[in-house]
Amino acid sequence: QVQLVESGGGLVQTGGSLRLSCVASGRTFSEYALGWHRQAPGKVREFVAGISMRGETTLYADSVKGRFTISRDNVKNTVYLQMNSLKPEDTAVYYCVASARFEVVAGQARGGSWGQGTQVTVSS
């Protein structure tokens, strides 16, 4: 089992940027694929971005492609989500997920270890 703690959320204006961080503890970090999902009020949780164990493969939802970048630091046990050109529709609670299976972090299968989430609010 791995424990995940997200940080970096906040309030930002349209067009602004934020960088989310997720620190993992409990198991060997490099054995996990990692991802970010989000849930807006009244909506189901949706996949945002995923990264493979060694970082050679990344995947993005169409809605964030070209604006968001996922990366990982296997020394610091941290995964990041750099969010640029933010829009009001990006407002949501953002969750970090870890799994040995990439399809889980990519939102294609159930399971994984999840953090508690961090709120991102983009004002218009």
Side-chain angles (χ1 to χ4, degrees), residues 59-71:
L59 183 67
Y60 296 93
D62 288 343
S63 59
V64 306
K65 210 170 286 185
R67 299 188 298 123
F68 291 10
T69 302
I70 188 170
S71 62

Side-chain angles (χ1 to χ4, degrees), residues 45-108:
R45 190 157 57 185
E46 64 176 1
F47 166 75
V48 175
I51 189 166
S52 58
M53 294 179 186
R54 287 179 294 278
E56 72 277 17
T57 300
T58 57
L59 183 67
Y60 296 93
D62 288 343
S63 59
V64 306
K65 210 170 286 185
R67 299 188 298 123
F68 291 10
T69 302
I70 188 170
S71 62
R72 63 188 295 162
D73 185 331
N74 285 355
V75 174
K76 295 182 178 180
N77 287 4
T78 303
V79 60
Y80 303 98
L81 186 67
Q82 178 66 43
M83 305 186 296
N84 298 328
S85 302
L86 283 161
K87 306 174 182 179
E89 50 264 44
D90 295 317
T91 295
V93 177
Y94 283 70
Y95 298 90
C96 177
V97 57
S99 175
R101 300 170 58 200
F102 186 80
E103 55 267 36
V104 171
V105 305
Q108 299 162 357

Side-chain angles (χ1 to χ4, degrees), residues 6 12 19 24 33 43 93 96 124:
E6 303 97 333
V12 64
R19 188 176 80 157
K43 295 188 177 181
V93 177
C96 177
S124 57

Side-chain angles (χ1 to χ4, degrees), residues 24-56:
S25 61
R27 290 290 297 270
T28 304
F29 185 73
S30 60
E31 294 178 352
Y32 290 89
L34 300 160
W36 290 93
H37 292 226
R38 67 186 181 187
Q39 187 167 18
K43 295 188 177 181
V44 297
R45 190 157 57 185
E46 64 176 1
F47 166 75
V48 175
I51 189 166
S52 58
M53 294 179 186
R54 287 179 294 278
E56 72 277 17

